[in-house]
Amino acid sequence: FLESILKSMSDMVAIIDLDGRITAVNHAVEEELGFRMDEIIGLGFNEAGWFDESLRDEIGLFLGRVAEGEVIEDREITIFTEDGQPIQILFSMAPILDRSSGEVLGIIAQGTDISELKEAHEALKARAKEIEEYTDELLTQKEQLIVMTAELETAKTYLEILIDTIPSALFTVNTEKKITFWNRACEDITGYTREEVLGESCSIIKGNCCDGYCALFDDDVVKPVRGRECSIRSKDGREIIISKNLNLLYDASSKITGGIESFIDVTAEREAMRTIKESEEKYRTLVENINVGVFRVSPDGRFIEANPGFIRIIGGSNRDNVLGSRVKDLFLTKEMLKRVMEELEKEGEIKDYEIPLRRLDHGSVIWVSLTAQLLEHDGEKYIDGIIEDISARRELERRMKYYTEELEHKIRMATAEIRHDKMKLAKAYKDLKELDRLKMEFFSNVSHELKTPLTVIKAHLHFLKSGKLGEITDEMRHSIDVALEEATDLEELVGRILDLSRLDAGRLELNLKMASLKDIVADLVERMRKTAEEEGQKLILEVEDEIPKRLLDPRRMREVVRNLISNAIKYNPEGTTITIKIYRNSENIILDVTDDGVGIEEDKLEKIFERFYQVDGSSTRSGSGTGIGLSIVKELVELHGGKVTVESEVGLGSTFRVILPIKWDETKGGE
């Protein structure tokens, strides 16, 4: 009888003695794991080959705990088939108790395969079939129970204990629909104890399972009933969705003596299936409405899936016009298509691959950013991908490059003209003052001429970013952010030019107040850390001793520190570590900005703080600049009564040092 029960269960079940050895397993163990029953009977449960090394000790501990009466429930673990294939299961262990004495007779272990949620429905159907077979076999044993000896009576008691231990709910009723048996799983699922229901009508778990008729005793209902889904009510009023099997019970003379019903709680599975369905519907709605193009390509190189965004981007008139068309029709050359396919075959995916494509409608060329991956299904290779039209962004980049180059050219021309004028103006003080006035006027005009379009550009970029002109993608938002950063950099350059003119004219005044250099530096390091990380660099702040406050112009000192850190980031390669150190001696506050980057040649160091001087040469220069930042740093530090120095060695890095006297009187130049 025990063997029949075990055979009918779809979950993997093993019966273990108190020494931890396997005494019986059901057919599910053989079918799902591939271990033959005659090979594993008598083996230690945790040494049978289905656990890896990392689990065997833990399972051994479980065996000891369960042998003392503890129940191990719903542990998610991984076991292995005989050929080494992993299976995720929900693992439980429980003691088999003598109902009269409470003595632990053995251990039952159960494993439920949960590796594929989408197979839940089929698994439940299979479970129902197994329970049906179990029920049929249980009924066929009825006649044999009448003539069983005391030994069989002992086996019956053992079986009742086993049924009371299995996770599937099972109960029996007599012909008056009074409950005669109620196992522990029934208690766990419904909340009703055995004492509360024995002798009571089975309608105590009322739900829609018995609406209008009784499936068990209705002659029009064909028995056995397998896998019927309906709902019951728990003791606390919760609705529980179950999948149940039921059949009639007969005595030896084929007289109906009652009925048996088993069920499992499938509420969670149904909720999971509902969630999956809702998620799939939301995903499809999202794909159909996003602005980027989503597509799938068949093994023969034709489009078999395409969302409206893709059809619009490639110029398809409708979905039918696009589906079935060839991928190669979009590429300008066979070589372009070949490069893309080779990259996919090699890496399995490509990301943000910018290529030109030919539209289907009028053959015009557009630029797109392509992200795709190669998928294999049933031995066939498919391509799933996303494209985004970046034609507008590339045009914006082209224009920004043109404007930047034009501006740089104007600045270079203006700088050359200023230098030439300064050489001529050296001959006469009167001419020098006049040309200086013209230079000031030129700088002012150029700066204001640049500020106006820059302000307009930034305003329009912010307006674009706000989404008021239409929804923007993350890629578009990134492009706008890059343009805003470049415009801001250009705006700062204009500010530096104005600072130069003010410095030359002696009209740059400091707004001094007692302030902490440490706070200024710490704030800037935190703000610029992300920029350094984006360049693959590392910013470290070190503060030694207590740094006193002193008279500072916080805005101008921020400009000094920002220039030094920005240069260290800009002119050094990926992997550079930049250390900003603040310390003091008895007279000065000292700020070091040190990098372990490319370094500067010795003959360039004495000119590095001169206006418009740039350290050139591809071996030491990884960025580009105007040559005015360090000259402004030097003059601003000197206006604060301090000085700035540099130490460098090619290949080892550089240290720019700002030295500020702790006690300083601006009217006297120091104390």
Side-chain angles (χ1 to χ4, degrees):
F1 194 74
L2 173 61
E3 181 181 352
S4 299
I5 294 301
L6 293 177
K7 183 187 292 186
S8 68
M9 296 182 65
S10 61
D11 288 349
M12 293 173 281
V13 179
I15 306 301
I16 308 155
D17 62 22
L18 295 180
D19 293 325
R21 301 195 174 276
I22 302 168
T23 60
V25 297
N26 70 343
H27 66 93
V29 174
E30 292 184 298
E31 292 176 356
E32 294 195 30
L33 301 183
F35 293 95
R36 289 173 47 193
M37 186 179 300
D38 57 354
E39 293 177 341
I40 59 177
I41 296 299
L43 293 179
F45 180 65
N46 62 337
E47 298 175 352
W50 41 53
F51 299 115
D52 63 12
E53 292 293 337
S54 64
L55 268 179
R56 289 179 179 174
D57 291 343
E58 185 177 4
I59 296 301
L61 293 173
F62 285 172
L63 288 170
R65 289 160 55 186
V66 175
E68 294 178 358
E70 185 177 343
V71 176
I72 307 296
E73 293 183 312
D74 298 336
R75 298 292 179 99
E76 290 192 17
I77 63 171
T78 301
I79 62 175
F80 296 87
T81 63
E82 188 177 31
D83 58 4
Q85 296 299 314
I87 298 178
Q88 288 288 118
I89 68 167
L90 200 62
F91 180 70
S92 300
M93 295 179 70
I96 300 173
L97 304 175
D98 187 309
R99 297 186 68 174
S100 59
S101 66
E103 178 185 359
V104 177
L105 303 178
I107 298 170
I108 180 170
Q110 179 180 358
T112 303
D113 187 349
I114 59 170
S115 58
E116 291 294 337
L117 181 61
K118 290 186 177 180
E119 296 177 0
H121 184 67
E122 291 299 323
L124 291 176
K125 288 173 61 177
R127 184 70 178 274
K129 183 177 179 181
E130 291 165 4
I131 294 175
E132 173 200 346
E133 293 174 356
Y134 150 72
T135 303
D136 290 341
E137 291 183 13
L138 184 64
L139 294 174
T140 60
Q141 298 294 321
K142 190 173 181 64
E143 287 187 12
Q144 298 177 15
L145 291 174
I146 299 174
V147 294
M148 279 184 177
T149 60
E151 181 180 356
L152 290 179
E153 287 295 333
T154 302
K156 176 184 175 183
T157 302
Y158 185 81
L159 177 60
E160 289 178 350
I161 296 172
L162 177 62
I163 293 174
D164 201 37
T165 306
I166 62 174
S168 297
L170 186 147
F171 70 93
T172 59
V173 296
N174 58 22
T175 55
E176 297 178 354
K177 303 178 185 179
K178 303 292 185 181
I179 296 173
T180 57
F181 180 79
W182 187 261
N183 78 344
R184 185 180 299 175
C186 287
E187 294 181 333
D188 295 340
I189 294 174
T190 67
Y192 288 102
T193 65
R194 179 180 289 118
E195 292 73 16
E196 289 175 319
V197 299
L198 289 182
E200 298 293 333
S201 170
C202 58
S203 63
I204 193 172
I205 51 171
K206 58 186 176 181
N208 65 10
C209 286
C210 298
D211 285 352
Y213 71 102
C214 177
L216 186 61
F217 294 108
D218 191 327
D219 293 337
D220 294 332
V221 177
V222 179
K223 263 75 73 178
V225 175
R226 303 183 180 94
R228 182 182 175 216
E229 288 194 8
C230 55
S231 67
I232 60 175
R233 290 285 177 182
S234 65
K235 183 178 179 181
D236 60 8
R238 288 180 298 108
E239 182 181 40
I240 303 171
I241 301 174
I242 63 169
S243 175
K244 71 175 183 177
N245 296 338
L246 55 88
N247 205 351
L248 295 172
L249 295 176
Y250 299 88
D251 61 15
S253 62
S254 298
K255 179 181 178 182
I256 296 174
T257 60
I260 182 170
E261 180 173 326
S262 64
F263 63 86
I264 56 175
D265 183 353
V266 296
T267 307
E269 286 84 348
R270 293 299 165 266
E271 180 63 22
M273 292 173 67
R274 184 188 65 79
T275 302
I276 291 173
K277 183 178 180 182
E278 290 178 354
S279 177
E280 289 175 346
E281 291 174 352
K282 290 179 181 178
Y283 172 75
R284 179 165 296 278
T285 300
L286 175 63
V287 169
E288 291 297 317
N289 289 281
I290 58 176
N291 200 35
V292 298
V294 181
F295 66 88
R296 169 171 285 185
V297 175
S298 66
D300 63 354
R302 296 182 180 273
F303 293 107
I304 56 175
E305 290 290 345
N307 75 334
F310 181 80
I311 296 170
R312 175 184 53 77
I313 291 172
I314 68 170
S317 58
N318 53 56
R319 181 181 174 86
D320 294 336
N321 171 250
V322 172
L323 297 185
S325 63
R326 298 173 299 181
V327 174
K328 67 179 183 179
D329 293 338
L330 298 181
F331 282 81
L332 302 186
T333 65
K334 293 180 180 178
E335 289 71 22
M336 288 185 180
L337 176 59
K338 182 180 178 182
R339 284 200 302 269
V340 171
M341 294 307 298
E342 286 177 348
E343 184 73 13
L344 274 173
E345 290 286 350
K346 179 182 177 182
E347 303 294 337
E349 64 178 5
I350 54 177
K351 292 183 178 180
D352 303 324
Y353 194 90
E354 297 188 2
I355 54 171
L357 296 180
R358 181 182 293 108
R359 285 172 60 94
L360 295 178
D361 47 5
H362 43 67
S364 62
V365 175
I366 58 171
W367 278 86
V368 301
S369 174
L370 170 65
T371 297
Q373 65 178 138
L374 198 61
L375 304 174
E376 189 167 333
H377 181 68
D378 293 337
E380 299 282 358
K381 292 182 177 179
Y382 296 81
I383 299 173
D384 282 359
I386 297 173
I387 62 170
E388 179 185 359
D389 188 348
I390 59 171
S391 302
R393 190 197 79 194
R394 287 182 66 92
E395 176 62 18
L396 178 61
E397 290 173 348
R398 184 191 67 79
R399 291 183 181 180
M400 289 297 294
K401 182 179 179 182
Y402 169 77
Y403 292 141
T404 301
E405 291 174 350
E406 184 178 24
L407 179 60
E408 288 176 348
H409 174 70
K410 287 181 179 180
I411 292 174
R412 285 195 297 270
M413 294 298 292
T415 302
E417 182 179 348
I418 291 169
R419 285 177 175 171
H420 180 69
D421 289 344
K422 286 178 69 176
M423 291 176 61
K424 293 191 300 180
L425 292 174
K427 297 176 182 179
Y429 178 78
K430 182 177 180 180
D431 293 339
L432 179 62
K433 295 293 284 185
E434 177 61 17
L435 288 176
D436 188 62
R437 184 189 65 78
L438 293 173
K439 184 191 70 172
M440 285 289 297
E441 184 176 327
F442 173 78
F443 269 123
S444 179
N445 288 338
V446 168
S447 300
H448 287 294
E449 286 295 322
L450 291 176
K451 275 192 170 182
T452 299
L454 278 174
T455 301
V456 173
I457 290 171
K458 289 182 68 176
H460 279 276
L461 288 172
H462 281 295
F463 193 58
L464 280 174
K465 187 177 179 180
S466 70
K468 294 180 179 178
L469 292 180
E471 184 178 352
I472 61 173
T473 64
D474 289 341
E475 290 292 335
M476 292 168 65
R477 190 181 300 280
H478 174 72
S479 297
I480 293 171
D481 287 340
V482 170
L484 279 169
E485 289 175 3
E486 293 298 325
T488 300
D489 289 344
L490 197 54
E491 195 174 45
E492 291 178 357
L493 175 60
V494 172
R496 290 178 185 176
I497 294 173
L498 284 173
D499 284 344
L500 278 179
S501 65
R502 294 189 187 104
L503 285 167
D504 282 346
R507 292 190 287 109
L508 194 149
E509 297 180 357
L510 298 180
N511 181 18
L512 295 171
K513 60 181 179 180
M514 295 299 291
S516 168
L517 180 62
K518 179 186 72 173
D519 293 344
I520 293 172
V521 173
D523 179 66
L524 274 173
V525 168
E526 192 60 31
R527 289 173 180 268
M528 301 183 75
R529 194 181 304 281
K530 182 178 179 182
T531 301
E533 290 173 350
E534 289 174 350
E535 296 296 326
Q537 299 172 348
K538 186 177 181 181
L539 280 186
I540 298 175
L541 174 62
E542 296 180 359
V543 180
E544 294 185 5
D545 304 324
E546 193 68 25
I547 307 301
K549 293 183 178 181
R550 59 151 282 173
L551 282 174
L552 295 172
D553 182 336
R555 186 171 75 87
R556 294 301 181 183
M557 194 51 62
R558 286 176 67 87
E559 186 176 350
V560 168
V561 179
R562 184 188 296 109
N563 251 307
L564 294 177
I565 298 176
S566 178
N567 282 353
I569 294 172
K570 182 190 298 183
Y571 293 101
N572 286 295
E574 182 178 352
T576 298
T577 296
I578 302 165
T579 303
I580 299 90
K581 182 177 179 181
I582 310 173
Y583 55 103
R584 60 168 292 179
N585 57 26
S586 59
E587 298 179 350
N588 301 302
I589 299 171
I590 304 168
L591 167 67
D592 286 351
V593 178
T594 303
D595 64 72
D596 57 5
V598 296
I600 306 169
E601 295 174 4
E602 186 175 356
D603 61 346
K604 306 293 194 302
L605 292 178
E606 61 184 24
K607 298 180 181 180
I608 200 166
F609 293 106
E610 293 180 5
R611 290 188 182 178
F612 309 111
Y613 180 77
Q614 296 174 299
V615 178
D616 210 349
S618 59
S619 65
T620 60
R621 186 176 178 200
S622 60
S624 61
T626 60
I628 62 176
L630 286 177
S631 67
I632 292 177
V633 166
K634 179 176 181 293
E635 295 189 50
L636 287 176
V637 170
E638 290 174 351
L639 283 175
H640 281 82
K643 64 179 179 178
V644 59
T645 64
V646 60
E647 299 172 2
S648 186
E649 187 172 346
V650 174
L652 296 180
S654 308
T655 295
F656 285 82
R657 177 167 294 134
V658 175
I659 303 172
L660 297 171
I662 296 174
K663 296 181 179 180
W664 175 64
D665 184 346
E666 64 168 326
T667 62
K668 299 179 181 179
E671 290 186 7

